[in-house]
Amino acid sequence: MNQDGVIVLFSGGQDSTTCLAWALTRFARVETLGFDYGQRHAIELRARLRVLAGFRTSYPEWTAKLGEDHLLTLDVLKQIGGSALTDAVKIEMGTDGLPTSFVPGRNVLFLTAAAALGYRRGISDLVGGMCETDYSGYPDCREKTIAATAEALSLALGQRIEVHTPLMHLDKAATWRLAEELGGKTLVDLIVEETVTCYEGDRTHRHDWGYGCGVCPACQLRARGYETYRRS
Ligand code: ZN
């Protein structure tokens, strides 16, 4: 068990919830950090609190390690705009070859803010759910981008910053499997019931993999991964 503290980038989605469980099995003191960046669906921010409450109810041994939950406002992303996640833009392939759900610079900004918060709190380990396996081609989810960002932040802050990305090489089915390994069926059920992945922020349609529109790329990825996980 690593006795240091760690900050988990925690959005209230499937991936960051799995990352939170991962961190709780490895670090003695775990803090969570969410960002209000003007995302169209503030439903994400409510999911964070439901998931944290679920952890506290179901896992007393994890609750003892769970420290402060932080929420930072990064509305510069909304000011810049142009993404389907911050504006009324249709989710489709953009002229840049990336889906319109791409928010340029988001992960680098998130990690910079997380490292700065960690600096103040004596924490140099960060955990993020970035993944280059099942991703949508977002260049800021690549392992190379994360490693270079960690390197730049270490130089900028004058201390080692380590960014852990436990999902980097997993597909969505493997992410469901990892959740089961870490927290059993209880964690899988909590992820199904309470986390939000849907780009449309839909919480009215319930599927066996959870709530969502069922149509957007994030829902399709989550549904396919869940099916494969259940069959295996
Ligand atoms: Zn959806």
Side-chain angles (χ1 to χ4, degrees):
M1 181 68 56
N2 189 324
Q3 292 307 314
D4 293 338
V6 67
I7 293 177
V8 179
L9 275 67
F10 178 59
S11 70
Q14 174 187 357
D15 292 346
S16 66
T17 298
T18 308
C19 285
L20 177 56
W22 182 89
L24 285 162
T25 59
R26 283 167 177 77
F27 288 84
R29 186 165 53 95
V30 179
E31 302 192 2
T32 43
L33 169 61
F35 295 102
D36 182 350
Y37 62 95
Q39 54 269 62
R40 284 169 65 203
H41 305 293
I43 193 168
E44 255 189 27
L45 300 176
R46 288 196 291 276
R48 300 177 75 252
L49 301 178
R50 288 198 307 271
V51 171
L52 286 174
F55 270 54
R56 291 205 166 89
T57 308
S58 304
Y59 302 100
E61 72 284 13
W62 287 355
T63 303
K65 301 179 187 177
L66 208 46
E68 264 186 65
D69 178 40
H70 311 270
L71 187 66
L72 296 177
T73 304
L74 277 182
D75 48 11
V76 62
L77 291 171
K78 171 73 177 168
Q79 284 175 41
I80 294 166
S83 161
L85 298 195
T86 54
D87 296 280
V89 171
K90 191 169 179 284
I91 297 177
E92 57 192 357
M93 203 46 90
T95 48
D96 55 2
L98 292 172
T100 51
S101 50
F102 178 54
V103 181
R106 181 172 60 167
N107 282 343
V108 174
L109 268 173
F110 282 5
L111 288 170
T112 303
L117 176 70
Y119 186 90
R120 289 291 178 224
R121 302 191 59 76
I123 295 174
S124 56
D125 286 87
L126 311 174
V127 180
M130 299 84 177
C131 165
E132 65 174 30
T133 311
D134 257 355
Y135 75 150
S136 309
Y138 301 153
D140 61 345
C141 289
R142 290 177 301 186
E143 191 165 37
K144 203 173 163 187
T145 308
I146 304 302
T149 304
E151 175 70 21
L153 288 170
S154 300
L155 289 167
L157 297 177
Q159 65 181 36
R160 179 198 62 92
I161 298 294
E162 197 161 334
V163 181
H164 307 266
T165 51
L167 312 184
M168 184 55 76
H169 301 291
L170 304 185
D171 61 18
K172 281 283 176 205
T175 300
W176 283 107
R177 229 172 278 127
L178 176 62
E180 187 181 324
E181 279 163 33
L182 293 166
K185 189 177 176 303
T186 306
L187 184 58
V188 174
D189 290 347
L190 181 71
I191 289 171
V192 166
E193 282 309 320
E194 306 297 3
T195 65
V196 176
T197 308
C198 178
Y199 284 154
E200 304 293 340
D202 184 309
R203 208 165 150 74
T204 50
H205 299 91
R206 172 69 157 82
H207 315 263
D208 50 356
W209 46 266
Y211 290 93
C213 71
V215 183
C216 77
C219 279
Q220 287 182 22
L221 205 55
R222 176 162 162 153
R224 270 203 307 273
Y226 188 79
E227 256 171 56
T228 308
Y229 154 70
R230 295 298 283 177
R231 279 202 310 266
S232 63

